[in-house]
Amino acid sequence: MKNTLQKNNVKSDQSIHQLMVLIGGTVLIGIVVGLSSLFLGLLLEYVEQLFLNYEETVWQPAPTGTIPVRRLFSVLIGSVIAAVIWWFLRTKTKPTVGITKALSGEKMPFWQTILHVMTQIFYVGTGGSVGRELAPREAGAMLAQKVGSAFEKFSLPQLSSDDRKLLIASAAGAGFAGIYIAPITGMFFCTEILLKKMTVRTVTVSLSMSTIAMLIGSIAKGFKPYYLVGDAKLSVATLLVVLVIAPLCGIAGSLFRKLCQWAEKNQTRKNNILWQLPMMGLTTGLISIIFPEVMGNGRSLAQLAINSEGFLSVSLLLLGALTKMVVTVLTIRFGAAGGTLTPAIAIGAVLGAFIGSFLLYLVPGIPMWEVVILGAATLLAASQQAPLMALFMIFEICHLNYAMLLPLGLGVLISIVISRKVLGQFN
């Protein structure tokens, strides 16, 4: 009896010590990842200023003031430099490890990951057509691994494999939160996409870490919205519009997801990147001469859709969205690493505007920006197969009020149901 009590006490002490290590790791990794996201945000600003003589803001999300020839050479030179770096990383060094493999226990090499992450930000800054959110997520996961290894050297109590995995996944979400100032989105990226498990423990750790990273990331950017929208007032008409937009964006989001998966599966990784990625850089640059919104992660295209008025302008935007989709998919296919979240938002925003330009004749009085945001959220949910993350990402980066919760929630629900049926046809 006495031995049993002693064993139970020892186990209890170990659990307490492990919990303290988990709490300490959450705080420390949150700070480190926040600093990493802050640095990557500043690096992006520096590259944009150097190559495009341009400062990206919510009021000027595209380098429209940069002379066309400079836009062309910016992304062309950027693609050549990025191609050489990625060729070197993929053929001459230990290959980088993605977040999914890191969660399975593979080690992410430090210097290779640092160079890989900075190249992603560099390429987007010069005008490359990919999302910038993958870089801070990969940096976060790698830094979490390094902090975990440091804990082991100090002979601290060993965390369980589930807790080590939780810290890495939370750090990936925190990287996103730190650069987009969106902690709830970071939490859902961790729990809904990476871990696919939502418990009190996973939510507490991931949300705490994302909040810490967000506070540090906001030192440079503040708490300004990423997209400028109006004030929503819920109406029955908005809910009727959702019933049309959500299924169509669910289908389009499924298509975009399959295209991105195809591009990643067949991505150029060896010598061909040295000419294929510069070719895409040249293509992007030529398009940017007349349509600068094709450059970067899609923020400018989405904002253009939010501000759009009239069927003609929306029809031209639709052509721009199709161009953005093709250029983004081929950029990934020909060797670039980058995210697809913000390109999906841009494509969904334009599709929402296009559909809305017809619907608003039938149900007048709804602001165009509302149907644009509905399109963005529903296509994002379908393309990422993450309804909660998509819903709260749009809320956080647009600073929406509660009036949009019901239509966006309904839209995301419809979109995810439709998209899963569509994706099931591909399997």
Side-chain angles (χ1 to χ4, degrees), residues 151-330:
F151 280 1
E152 292 176 5
K153 292 179 181 179
F154 285 100
S155 301
L156 294 172
Q158 294 293 302
L159 294 174
S160 66
S161 60
D162 285 344
D163 281 345
R164 289 196 296 270
K165 187 176 178 180
L166 172 58
L167 287 177
I168 294 170
S170 297
F176 178 93
I179 207 162
Y180 281 101
I181 318 301
I184 298 176
T185 307
M187 180 271 291
F188 278 120
F189 178 79
C190 165
T191 58
E192 189 176 31
I193 292 183
L194 294 180
L195 296 179
K196 302 186 186 304
K197 181 169 65 175
M198 204 170 296
T199 65
V200 173
R201 196 181 192 91
T202 59
V203 170
T204 301
V205 171
S206 59
L207 184 57
S208 299
M209 195 183 295
S210 287
T211 301
I212 294 169
M214 176 270 294
L215 291 172
I216 295 174
S218 67
I219 292 173
K221 294 184 176 293
F223 292 92
K224 297 183 289 291
Y226 197 69
Y227 300 106
L228 282 179
V229 298
D231 293 323
K233 294 181 180 179
L234 179 63
S235 67
V236 176
T238 305
L239 298 178
L240 294 176
V241 168
V242 171
L243 299 179
V244 179
I245 289 179
L248 295 175
C249 285
I251 295 170
S254 304
L255 174 62
F256 185 59
R257 179 180 179 85
K258 295 302 294 185
L259 288 173
C260 290
Q261 288 176 338
W262 168 82
E264 290 170 358
K265 182 179 178 180
N266 298 282
Q267 186 179 59
T268 298
R269 294 188 176 275
K270 296 190 177 179
N271 293 347
N272 284 341
I273 193 177
L274 292 172
W275 68 268
Q276 288 183 350
L277 189 58
M279 178 186 68
M280 280 311 304
L282 176 61
T283 302
T284 305
L286 290 171
I287 296 170
S288 75
I289 291 175
I290 58 173
F291 188 65
E293 285 79 10
V294 76
M295 303 178 81
N297 69 343
R299 179 187 190 180
S300 56
L301 181 59
Q303 189 64 57
L304 197 61
I306 291 169
N307 299 335
S308 64
E309 293 181 4
F311 179 75
L312 180 60
S313 64
V314 171
S315 299
L316 293 174
L317 271 180
L318 184 63
L319 179 61
L322 291 172
T323 303
K324 180 67 176 177
M325 180 175 69
V326 171
V327 170
T328 299
V329 169
L330 291 180

Side-chain angles (χ1 to χ4, degrees), residues 1-56:
M1 183 70 174
K2 185 177 180 181
N3 289 337
T4 302
L5 288 174
Q6 287 177 338
K7 288 180 180 179
N8 288 337
N9 288 335
V10 169
K11 289 182 179 179
S12 177
D13 290 341
Q14 287 177 340
S15 297
I16 293 172
H17 291 155
Q18 287 177 337
L19 179 60
M20 296 303 295
V21 171
L22 181 62
I23 293 172
T26 298
V27 174
L28 180 58
I29 294 171
I31 293 171
V32 172
V33 173
L35 291 171
S36 167
S37 295
L38 176 64
F39 168 75
L40 291 175
L42 294 174
L43 174 62
L44 178 69
E45 292 179 3
Y46 175 75
V47 173
E48 288 177 336
Q49 187 65 238
L50 179 64
F51 277 77
L52 292 165
N53 191 28
Y54 155 69
E55 182 179 354
E56 179 183 333

